[in-house]
Amino acid sequence: MAEAQIIDGKKIAADVRAEVATEVARLVKEHGVKAGLAVVLVGEDPASKVYVKNKAQQTVEVGMNSWEYKLPAETSEAEVLALVQKLNNDPACHGILVQLPLPKHINSEKVLNAINPDKDVDGFHPVNVGRLWVGERALVPCTPTGSIILAKSVRPNLSGMDAVVIGRSNIVGKPVAALLLRENCTVTIAHSRTKNIEDIVKCADLVIAAVGIPEMVKGSWIRPGAIVIDVGINRVPSENGKTKLVGDVAYDECAKVAGAITPVPGGVGPMTIACLLRNAAQAAAMQIGVKSAFA
Ligand code: NAD
């Protein structure tokens, strides 16, 4: 059987960043406004520090202003809320991202809900969740947006497809299901309590796996020719005694059956920051009061 088309997330993310750079330049030229993104990091979590550094670097590369607020782990909730308020009131700052996880003494929900929904580039604020589900213009979570862009790179019109999302988190599963519905797919959400998951996945033309279980989705679960988008990022031991990254999909066996598949790494991963920048550019256009290239 023919091997699946490998969806090149690195290249598609670079294309998205190029589109963002064009939009950022347009907003400067036509409206005299340079889009700006602020990232708030509390504490010393090593993975978060790397994410924040990458975000800041890519923000500058697309021509936006970038601000990094690195606060010590012992910063109080009130101080974080005060910073969010300051950024909400700063007209030069169009997007605010508070890097999760926050230290335990800070209530993440309270902080995320304090962000002005129009500056909520992560799309986690309940107002944006509501706007997404009712079909209003919203800032949509980044990884789900990236997953849909990857699926549409294979098949630009997803209308009528049977889509199965595995996972129902607020960060990936639920928003990606909302986006698929908006694309006129018939959507099934499978999760930890779903019975006969294999049979459900077998019916799908499009599978989006966001579970966090290494290589859970087997080749025998995949309908021949289906598009498979693997959101999972799992670190597992490798043959050389070190660790390696694998997705939620057993890549080698699924690639033999699927029509198209994302690799891990190099699939959905690179799309997340690209879509964050896209959201920041969209937020800037919304705040200037002009049409965005993206929504
Ligand atoms: P989560 O733990 O919040 O949610 C996992 C979901 O999987 C839950 O809704 C649960 O119901 C479901 N689930 C658990 N066990 C299951 C089972 N046996 N069968 C079916 N469903 C089951 O995780 P998340 O934040 O949604 O992330 C999911 C994966 O995606 C993780 O590997 C994470 O690292 C990855 N992720 C990647 C990116 C990226 O940038 N590429 C971004 C976010 C998350």
Side-chain angles (χ1 to χ4, degrees):
M1 202 177 296
E3 284 273 328
Q5 173 191 337
I6 299 165
I7 304 172
D8 186 348
K10 259 181 153 167
K11 180 185 176 301
I12 296 169
D15 293 345
V16 171
R17 288 197 303 275
E19 285 168 24
V20 173
T22 304
E23 174 70 348
V24 170
R26 181 185 76 86
L27 294 176
V28 171
K29 186 160 174 263
E30 293 179 9
H31 305 284
V33 174
K34 187 167 175 174
L37 172 64
V39 179
V40 178
L41 173 65
V42 187
E44 297 291 325
D45 182 64
S48 295
K49 276 170 121 173
V50 174
Y51 294 143
V52 167
K53 187 165 161 255
N54 290 342
K55 282 170 187 169
Q57 190 182 333
Q58 295 187 30
T59 304
V60 171
E61 277 168 16
V62 296
M64 285 190 215
N65 284 323
S66 165
W67 300 278
E68 282 175 78
Y69 291 88
K70 292 183 186 159
L71 308 177
E74 59 276 13
T75 306
S76 70
E77 183 179 285
E79 285 170 303
V80 178
L81 288 169
L83 174 58
V84 167
Q85 222 34 266
K86 179 175 144 282
L87 296 170
N88 279 343
N89 294 331
D90 179 355
C93 168
H94 303 99
I96 304 168
L97 182 142
V98 177
Q99 185 67 46
L100 299 177
L102 286 169
K104 288 203 169 50
H105 66 278
I106 299 177
N107 180 337
S108 305
E109 200 177 303
K110 202 166 166 190
V111 171
L112 296 184
N113 290 357
I115 298 172
N116 174 349
D118 291 340
K119 297 191 177 190
D120 166 40
V121 282
D122 254 340
F124 296 155
H125 194 289
V127 167
N128 279 313
V129 176
R131 285 176 181 161
L132 170 62
W133 281 98
V134 298
E136 277 180 29
R137 188 164 79 155
L139 289 167
V140 178
C142 307
T143 304
T145 301
S147 303
I148 299 295
I149 293 173
L150 293 181
K152 290 179 83 167
S153 76
V154 180
R155 197 168 136 165
N157 184 358
L158 304 179
S159 180
M161 289 182 93
D162 290 324
V164 172
V165 178
I166 317 177
R168 57 173 162 181
S169 70
N170 289 330
I171 293 175
V172 190
K174 283 182 205 160
V176 90
L179 287 173
L180 289 165
L181 207 51
R182 206 163 78 175
E183 295 290 334
N184 299 311
C185 292
T186 304
V187 185
T188 304
I189 305 175
H191 49 78
S192 51
R193 307 289 176 88
T194 299
K195 290 178 288 178
N196 307 327
I197 195 161
E198 173 178 347
D199 295 337
I200 291 169
V201 173
K202 247 182 217 161
C203 297
D205 307 309
L206 170 58
V207 181
I208 300 192
V211 193
I213 299 179
E215 303 182 319
M216 181 184 110
V217 178
K218 307 297 177 204
S220 60
W221 298 20
I222 301 298
R223 175 192 267 191
I227 300 174
V228 179
I229 307 291
D230 188 354
V231 181
I233 301 180
N234 309 292
R235 200 167 276 287
V236 296
S238 79
E239 297 76 28
N240 61 11
K242 294 187 179 159
T243 58
K244 62 175 181 178
L245 290 184
V246 298
D248 292 341
V249 170
Y251 180 82
D252 290 339
E253 36 184 278
C254 291
K256 292 194 174 74
V257 191
I261 189 165
T262 58
V264 177
V268 175
M271 296 299 288
T272 299
I273 297 183
C275 291
L276 169 72
L277 302 174
R278 195 176 183 267
N279 274 355
Q282 182 189 326
M286 277 160 53
Q287 284 157 57
I288 302 166
V290 300
K291 198 171 164 8
S292 160
F294 304 124

